[in-house]
Amino acid sequence: MSANSRELPFASPAGFEALSFCEAPAGGRWFVFRGDQLLVEMGPPDPRPSDDPRVRQRPSWAKLPLQKNHNWLGSNAVRTLYLGRLQGEDCWAAELAKDAPAPAAGLSWEGLRALFSVLDDAHFALAGRALQIVDWDRTHQFCGRCGTRTEAKREERSRVCPNCRLSAYPRVAPATMMLVRRDDELLLGRSPHFPPGMYSALAGFVEPGESLEQCVAREVAEEVGVRVRNIRYFASQSWPFPHSLMIAFVCDWESGEIRPQETEIEAANWFKVLQLPKLPSRISIARRLIDAISAEMRGEQRST
Ligand SMILES: [Zn+2]
């Protein structure tokens, strides 16, 4: 079992140096957001159907704006943040108002999911990072303890309260994902907000005071009423919708029949590994996990 050697989408790209302050702002690569939409130059719609049940159509190509002038957004920018350098190129994140038109001809707004496999992989990964940092900066302008306006620190990515010194760092919410095996079957469920027909591995946020393995066992018990054992780490993925770290596991069924928790799980079933339902897009670790474990199980079936 392995996550296979290829990096998951949103992994920090090779040649990227994260920095929080730029001595001499000049041009560079720009990650400009309006809400969760990214500003890109893009080609006509790709006629091929999208592999992502959540994306109707992808553009045939897309690229990020490269600007020589650091002030090209002028007063349109609600915030501008330095991200660091990718292969020596300065990278900037900015946010425009929710209803802002594209700030230059030839540019338009597109959701990140639609740009997966379309935008350069390294740029796509940094777009996920930029989206999270922009969101964190927006929501930490004031101290959570005393309400004073915070100030960005130069030496690291944090905001500090000048009154009470409380520091705020970009938040990452750990969540576990778990694929439960029983003989030649996998336990998959669907939440009410999934696209029609799509099933995935179960998942849930880690609570204060529990280990990742305890979280896995608790989530499976809560969501479908099943007990599991032999919990093994698979891989992890940064997930910017909105600021999660997905930590994936595989485990074995121990006891119990499926009883879906009505509020979170619309349906859950055991699926034969040779007859899996519609699965999530390859953008997510869920798909990597299901593909890797089902390939391993099919291999076991052939060899017995
Ligand atoms: Zn304070």
Side-chain angles (χ1 to χ4, degrees):
M1 174 190 64
S2 81
N4 95 36
S5 54
R6 211 176 150 274
E7 290 279 17
L8 279 152
F10 299 120
S12 192
F16 177 66
E17 183 188 6
L19 298 162
S20 52
F21 180 75
C22 182
E23 285 293 341
R29 193 65 68 174
W30 284 79
F31 299 79
V32 183
F33 289 93
R34 178 182 80 171
D36 58 3
Q37 291 185 305
L38 182 65
L39 186 68
V40 286
E41 187 187 338
M42 62 184 178
D46 188 333
R48 290 171 300 176
S50 150
D51 69 325
D52 185 342
R54 293 175 196 269
V55 173
R56 221 162 51 85
Q57 202 158 35
R58 297 188 195 281
S60 49
W61 59 267
K63 52 186 181 183
L64 290 167
L66 184 64
Q67 295 287 331
K68 288 200 174 73
N69 173 11
H70 182 254
N71 293 316
W72 72 292
L73 295 170
S75 59
N76 291 329
V78 178
R79 67 194 77 253
T80 300
L81 295 155
Y82 185 54
L83 294 174
R85 273 193 291 270
L86 175 65
Q87 314 281 8
E89 190 171 74
D90 283 323
C91 296
W92 296 88
E95 181 181 36
L96 303 194
K98 270 262 187 281
D99 54 352
L107 296 174
S108 44
W109 302 104
E110 184 56 272
L112 257 195
R113 279 178 174 276
L115 296 171
F116 170 58
S117 72
V118 179
L119 205 61
D120 170 84
D121 284 348
H123 291 168
F124 183 77
L126 290 183
R129 177 187 288 253
L131 178 62
Q132 296 180 71
I133 289 172
V134 164
D135 178 68
W136 163 77
D137 189 81
R138 184 198 307 126
T139 53
H140 290 77
Q141 292 293 306
F142 295 91
C143 175
R145 183 156 60 196
C146 76
T148 305
R149 184 173 276 281
T150 56
E151 295 167 352
K153 216 168 159 180
R154 282 186 173 205
E155 312 81 68
E156 59 175 13
R157 182 79 60 196
S158 69
R159 295 190 67 84
V160 183
C161 172
N163 181 48
C164 76
R165 308 311 300 168
L166 182 70
S167 292
Y169 296 88
R171 56 183 168 160
V172 175
T176 62
M177 170 171 287
M178 60 298 284
L179 189 57
V180 187
R181 290 184 54 164
R182 185 179 72 178
D183 301 325
D184 63 341
E185 295 174 319
L186 292 172
L187 199 173
L188 301 174
R190 48 173 286 110
S191 84
H193 67 262
F194 278 9
M198 191 186 98
Y199 281 75
S200 186
L202 305 176
F205 286 106
V206 180
E207 290 185 351
E210 69 181 359
S211 69
L212 297 175
E213 290 80 1
Q214 288 173 326
C215 177
V216 168
R218 176 183 55 76
E219 284 290 341
V220 182
E222 282 177 8
E223 293 193 347
V224 293
V226 163
R227 289 176 67 90
V228 295
R229 62 183 172 81
N230 200 13
I231 298 164
R232 290 99 78 196
Y233 175 74
F234 175 73
S236 66
Q237 181 187 32
S238 169
W239 189 244
F241 309 111
H243 44 74
S244 298
L245 174 65
M246 299 301 306
I247 307 138
F249 293 83
V250 58
C251 53
D252 297 328
W253 173 83
E254 184 177 79
S255 63
E257 291 307 316
I258 294 174
R259 282 180 289 100
Q261 182 189 45
E262 276 174 26
T263 50
E264 282 192 48
I265 301 292
E266 187 180 271
N269 286 300
W270 292 107
F271 290 92
K272 294 273 183 207
V273 72
L274 295 172
Q275 294 163 345
L276 294 177
K278 192 192 286 185
L279 299 172
S281 148
R282 289 173 212 287
I283 190 176
S284 72
I285 194 171
R287 181 58 177 274
R288 184 74 66 93
L289 174 66
I290 296 166
D291 282 355
I293 302 305
S294 56
E296 186 181 284
M297 290 164 69
R298 288 193 296 269
E300 284 169 15
Q301 282 185 336
R302 274 196 297 273
S303 61
T304 51

